[in-house]
């Protein structure tokens, strides 16, 4: 199981102090957070993509490349790469470049985002969101696997004898997770290609996540990629911890009550009951997270949201310390003990390269025979 954190890159006023960090402060803070994630033993850092205030991450590959230069083991990913409004050619080239710079420590999560105006800003129609996601990814998939591409579709100019550069590292494309909150079409897309499916999970009840993951697993098996329980599933999660659970509730409440997304809505208690948000002690986070397996099965990646809603950098780093020292060792041990041997780990560049080399060796043996 891979464990990590993801950021949506919001710049939010701290409701307890009235202070709003500058863009420069938040950008530098996210680098500090990513580096500390590696220091406490986490596996993955993922950064979102937004092109509007109050978010700063309009170019996640730039930020991730800077983080790659200052880390050694951290898997770098995106919390959303906008497959609908980005040019697939640019995605292919940007992530292949990042792959080389990070020595393969790269994958990405594709999604449609949650900001409607981004579509006309990039010359797209939001009503074509799903068709854009399907066609653009089909092209991206082809660009990474074919050296010379001839292509024609509905949403961009045709390509004739085109080669994206640089080529993927070791001719192994980055692994792709398809992220979704509510769209069964995206679960179907992930299953069709044998890619990963990442359920956002932080705003919806368990029953919704269970249905989405079940659909993806069934279709993964239908397309012949393996049994349903071998499909690649990732989940989001949201936690805030202190040694004493009531201290966590008291400290986090003003941030929750004023958060841009869910503030001034349901109570902290109601939201915690109806969604995976866990505010309490490290043991409560452990117990809640282990229960995710009850309704999604064995899964490969768990990412936590920890730096949002105006929480100051000092607090986020403290949260990471608790996660690394008290939560992570227990979760690793318990999930490993529960996972059957035939369920694969999350793909990495090393594992994908090994699989490619094994396949080529097998084909060579067949030809020689």
């Amino acid at each position: 199981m891979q464990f990590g954190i993801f950021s949506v890159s919001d710049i939010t006023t701290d409701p307890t102090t009235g202070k709003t960090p500058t863009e420069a402060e938040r950008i530098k803070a996210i680098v500090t957070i990513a580096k500390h994630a590696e220091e406490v033993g986490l596996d993955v850092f993922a950064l979102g993509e937004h092109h509007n205030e109050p978010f700063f991450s309009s170019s996640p590959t730039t930020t991730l490349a800077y983080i790659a230069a200052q880390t050694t083991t951290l898997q770098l990913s995106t919390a959303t790469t906008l497959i609908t409004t980005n040019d697939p050619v640019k995605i292919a080239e940007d992530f292949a470049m990042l792959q080389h710079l990070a020595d393969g420590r790269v994958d990405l999560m594709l999604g449609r985002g949650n900001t409607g105006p981004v579509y006309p800003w990039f010359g797209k129609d939001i009503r074509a969101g799903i068709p854009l996601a399907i066609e653009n990814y089909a092209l991206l998939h082809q660009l990474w696997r074919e050296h010379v591409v001839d292509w024609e579709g509905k949403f961009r100019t045709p390509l004739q004898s085109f080669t994206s550069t640089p080529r993927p590292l070791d001719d192994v494309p980055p692994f792709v997770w398809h992220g979704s909150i509510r769209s069964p079409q995206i679960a179907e897309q992930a299953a069709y290609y044998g890619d990963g499916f990442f359920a956002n999970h932080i705003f919806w009840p368990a029953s919704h996540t269970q249905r989405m993951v079940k659909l993806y697993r069934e279709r993964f098996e239908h397309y012949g990629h393996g049994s349903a329980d071998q499909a690649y599933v990732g989940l989001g999660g949201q936690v805030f911890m202190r040694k004493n659970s009531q201290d966590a509730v008291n400290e986090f409440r003003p941030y929750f009550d004023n958060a841009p997304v869910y503030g001034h809505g349901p109570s902290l208690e109601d939201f915690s009951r109806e969604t995976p948000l866990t505010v309490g002690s490290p043991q409560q986070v452990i117990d809640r997270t282990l229960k995710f397996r009850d309704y999604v099965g064995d899964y490969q990646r768990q990412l936590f949201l920890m730096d949002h809603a105006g929480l100051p950098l000092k607090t986020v780093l403290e949260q990471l310390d608790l996660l690394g020292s008290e939560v992570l060792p227990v979760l690793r041990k318990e999930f490993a003990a529960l996972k059957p041997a035939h369920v694969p780990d999350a793909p990495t560049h090393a594992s994908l390269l090994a699989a490619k080399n094994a396949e080529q060796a097998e084909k060579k043996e067949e030809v020689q025979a």
Side-chain angles (χ1 to χ4, degrees), residues 7 9 26-32 34-35 45-48 56-71 74 76-78 98:
S7 175
S9 83
R26 272 293 276 146
I27 291 169
K28 292 296 179 65
I30 207 66
V31 175
T32 300
K35 290 164 63 178
F45 173 78
L47 182 61
F56 68 79
S57 183
S58 59
S59 181
T61 53
T62 303
T63 312
L64 293 175
Y66 188 73
I67 293 168
Q70 302 178 68
T71 55
L74 197 64
L76 304 170
S77 189
T78 50
L98 178 59

Side-chain angles (χ1 to χ4, degrees), residues 264-307:
H264 310 288
S267 70
L268 174 59
E269 287 74 17
D270 287 344
F271 200 82
S272 298
R273 184 175 57 254
E274 297 297 330
T275 79
L277 171 64
T278 307
V279 180
S281 67
Q283 188 60 51
Q284 287 174 302
V285 170
I286 291 168
D287 293 342
R288 189 80 179 279
T289 305
L290 287 173
K291 290 179 180 178
F292 296 166
R293 182 180 177 275
D294 294 343
Y295 55 88
V296 302
D298 292 288
Y299 63 110
Q300 284 81 8
R301 175 174 284 188
Q302 175 66 58
L303 301 184
F304 295 105
L305 177 63
M306 305 188 82
D307 74 319

Side-chain angles (χ1 to χ4, degrees), residues 244-257:
N244 181 286
S245 61
Q246 195 56 53
D247 289 341
V249 171
N250 293 338
E251 184 175 348
F252 188 65
R253 190 181 298 280
Y255 295 97
F256 177 88
D257 288 346

Side-chain angles (χ1 to χ4, degrees), residues 222-268:
H222 168 79
Y223 288 115
H225 301 298
S227 60
D229 62 350
Q230 292 177 310
Y232 301 105
V233 173
L235 293 183
Q238 199 172 355
V239 300
F240 187 86
M241 295 173 284
R242 288 302 182 197
K243 296 279 189 179
N244 181 286
S245 61
Q246 195 56 53
D247 289 341
V249 171
N250 293 338
E251 184 175 348
F252 188 65
R253 190 181 298 280
Y255 295 97
F256 177 88
D257 288 346
N258 293 280
V261 176
Y262 42 66
H264 310 288
S267 70
L268 174 59

